Amino acid sequence: MRSSRRLLLVIVFLLSLFVLFETLGIRAQFSLDALQALILMHPVAGLLLFILLFALGNLIQIPGWVFLAAAVLALGRIYGGIVTYVAACVSCIVTYITIRYLGGNALRELNNPLARRLLSGLDRRPLASIIILRMLFQTVPALNYALALSGASFRTYLLGTLLGLPLPIALYCVFFDYLAMLLNIAH
């Protein structure tokens, strides 16, 4: 029963955050143009706010590609990719700490055959599993929540995130840079 309460707490927290940001109209401000302007507003403050918004956006279900595209269009594929990598890692860390604090190891404590089967793969090769999941799903919030609630150690989660994100971010950077060139969008 304890794990059910913790999962419920996580769901209520995430829904409340989503509804609050939607009601206040803040969620709509996470647009490509607004994020681009934010990055360009000030070399340090703009980037720090961008990182903060990426972390917050991850909690309220804003797709990471929006942040990546804004960074690439504002800073080019190399610097945009570096900024996005840092922001994505910080975002994943913030999500892990927040969700783990609220939900603990709730998925691990569930008495469910499917959950146990999925977690057994993570238990056998935790680092490799997280790296592969990051390569496939990058910063998808549901992945962050599941990993935080799975009992994966912070160290393994962090290392898997740091090693799993560079390749997909690099590929997206090339894609968005190419798209910007095709659409004649300057950066």
Side-chain angles (χ1 to χ4, degrees), residues 75-91:
L75 302 171
R77 75 173 169 228
I78 305 252
Y79 294 119
I82 292 168
V83 167
T84 300
Y85 176 71
V86 170
C89 289
V90 168
S91 173

Side-chain angles (χ1 to χ4, degrees), residues 28-90:
Q29 300 305 311
F30 283 81
S31 70
L32 196 58
D33 291 335
L35 291 169
Q36 240 182 305
L38 178 71
I39 292 169
L40 295 172
M41 89 172 190
H42 189 273
V44 176
L47 292 177
L48 290 175
L49 283 171
F50 176 78
I51 292 169
L52 175 70
L53 287 177
F54 197 127
L56 197 55
N58 203 268
L59 285 170
I60 59 169
Q61 305 292 318
I62 303 293
W65 69 264
V66 173
F67 295 93
L68 176 63
V72 169
L73 292 174
L75 302 171
R77 75 173 169 228
I78 305 252
Y79 294 119
I82 292 168
V83 167
T84 300
Y85 176 71
V86 170
C89 289
V90 168

Side-chain angles (χ1 to χ4, degrees), residues 5 13 99 110 117 119 155 165:
R5 280 192 215 137
F13 169 75
I99 299 304
L110 287 177
R117 191 175 55 149
L119 290 174
R155 182 178 179 270
L165 284 178

Side-chain angles (χ1 to χ4, degrees), residues 54 58 63-65 88 92 129-144 147 164-165 168-169 172:
F54 197 127
N58 203 268
W65 69 264
C92 290
S129 296
I130 293 172
I131 290 170
I132 291 167
L133 288 167
R134 285 288 178 219
M135 289 175 139
L136 294 173
F137 302 108
Q138 297 86 44
T139 62
V140 169
L143 173 62
N144 293 334
L147 289 172
L165 284 178
I169 287 175
Y172 277 120

